[in-house]
Amino acid sequence: MALCTTCVLTACAGDGSGLDENGRPVTESGGGTLQPNFQSIQDNVFTPVCTVCHAGAAAPLGLRLDEGSSYALLVNASSVEVPSLHRVEPGNPDSSYLIQKLEGIAAVGGRMPLNQPPLPQETIAVIRQWITDGAQNSTGVGGSAKSRFEMVKLTAISPGRNEIVPAPVRDVIITSNVELDTSLLQSNLIELRASGGDGNFDSGNEREVPVDATVRSDLPTVLAITPRLAPLAADSYELRISGTDPVAMADMRALPIDGDGDGAPGGDFVLRFTVEMTQ
Ligand code: HEC
Ligand SMILES: [Ca+2]
């Protein structure tokens, strides 16, 4: 292990081939400098190369790699093809499914980007480095000392608002602008209802879907809401997070939820979406 680290350091301080004047690897396209941080990987790889396919409701396996969705759907999120692996396992590039797909050694499916030349080795090495370093989110959404005094705002990532997505849906991903404590998850604030097949949530035939909620990442807070019994089948769904109660934050300061995003505390966060049978 120690020997290995020395090798890497020596390589970086070495003859500098393939590195720019700051000793960072040079990307082959566009002349932009790829760095081992999330924003740089988003700008140089995910957005230009991957979002051709991995965007919107039809993104393969629900994996959207557009800016704003990608972090929540990668870090600590289970792969669909090999559910025992996370797409990105912070600190461990070898067991990160993303890396296996980029290196063409994954147990299922093709090498990414699909049907295109593989990414250059140096590019994959930078993504590996970002994961080794803990897979932090460098865009810095939330988590600052300042944000502790803000109200809790929630954003739907996947499925998006009013979106129609193919079945099965294994989890609903939302993010928060501030770091949430697990006491949010223990309280009865989160409710998921199925419409009963009519797309209407007031007709009396609605069904409550029991869910578990887990925090997948702290900065930004990524919340995964998972149906306890089975993935969501075809129907319309409403996820409601109550805005009436304060939420305990990471530092145990109770902050109110601004559920409806009007800048004042209160109001429920409501996300409606539809799951469709795939042909
Ligand atoms: C031409 C369309 C296309 C492009 C471009 C593409 N992908 Fe994919 N991706 C797919 C398809 C289709 C699947 C599912 C089938 C498979 O794995 O071969 C997939 C599956 C994946 C998976 C597995 C997800 C899981 O949950 O198991 C990962 C990770 C992935 N892609 C990452 C990427 C990355 C990163 C890029 C950009 C470097 C990329 N893909 C570019 C079409 C594409
Ligand atoms: Ca109904």
Side-chain angles (χ1 to χ4, degrees):
M1 203 53 204
L3 185 66
C4 211
T5 311
T6 316
C7 292
V8 173
L9 291 176
T10 311
C12 286
D15 68 2
S17 64
L19 305 178
D20 71 5
E21 64 272 24
N22 299 315
R24 296 179 184 120
V26 180
T27 49
E28 292 197 337
S29 62
T33 305
L34 182 64
Q35 297 170 32
N37 69 66
F38 183 68
Q39 189 65 57
S40 181
I41 294 167
Q42 180 68 49
D43 292 346
N44 290 283
V45 181
F46 296 153
T47 300
V49 183
C50 313
T51 55
V52 185
C53 302
H54 288 275
L61 308 177
L63 175 55
R64 301 162 188 218
L65 292 173
D66 57 291
E67 191 161 359
S69 307
S70 56
Y71 188 87
L73 295 174
L74 286 170
V75 178
N76 292 318
S78 295
S79 149
V80 172
E81 290 178 342
V82 180
S84 60
L85 292 178
H86 285 155
R87 289 168 175 160
V88 167
E89 179 73 43
N92 196 341
D94 286 329
S95 51
S96 295
Y97 197 63
L98 170 71
I99 294 297
Q100 301 189 0
K101 292 297 278 183
L102 292 174
E103 294 183 339
I105 56 166
V108 181
R111 182 172 189 171
M112 296 296 137
L114 199 65
N115 303 328
Q116 289 175 29
L119 296 180
Q121 250 342 295
E122 310 86 72
T123 301
I124 299 174
V126 171
I127 300 174
R128 279 182 159 272
Q129 187 62 52
W130 165 68
I131 297 174
T132 303
D133 294 346
Q136 300 289 317
N137 185 325
S138 54
T139 55
V141 182
S144 65
K146 169 178 121 317
S147 72
R148 294 212 177 121
F149 301 96
E150 291 172 1
M151 275 171 294
V152 181
K153 288 200 193 67
L154 302 168
T155 311
I157 296 280
S158 171
R161 229 169 254 288
N162 299 322
E163 222 170 56
I164 300 172
V165 288
V169 169
R170 289 179 171 74
D171 43 29
V172 177
I173 307 293
I174 61 178
T175 58
S176 161
N177 60 325
V178 287
E179 200 174 341
L180 297 175
D181 185 66
T182 45
S183 36
L184 168 68
L185 312 176
Q186 285 152 16
S187 65
N188 262 346
L189 298 176
I190 302 176
E191 186 190 53
L192 180 65
R193 288 190 306 149
S195 80
D198 55 11
N200 181 311
F201 293 92
D202 294 308
S203 55
N205 63 343
E206 292 74 36
R207 188 172 47 85
E208 178 141 357
V209 181
V211 291
D212 290 316
T214 39
V215 172
R216 277 200 186 150
S217 146
D218 292 333
L219 297 178
T221 293
V222 175
L223 213 56
I225 295 157
T226 315
R228 197 170 293 159
L229 304 174
L232 299 179
D235 200 348
S236 294
Y237 292 88
E238 182 184 84
L239 176 74
R240 189 174 283 270
I241 301 183
S242 163
T244 48
D245 292 324
V247 181
M249 311 306 299
D251 63 355
M252 294 307 166
R253 197 186 298 265
L255 291 183
I257 303 180
D258 173 15
D260 50 13
D262 68 353
D268 287 355
F269 169 86
V270 179
L271 166 69
R272 285 187 181 176
F273 59 93
T274 300
V275 178
E276 265 191 353
M277 233 40 212
T278 36
Q279 267 82 25

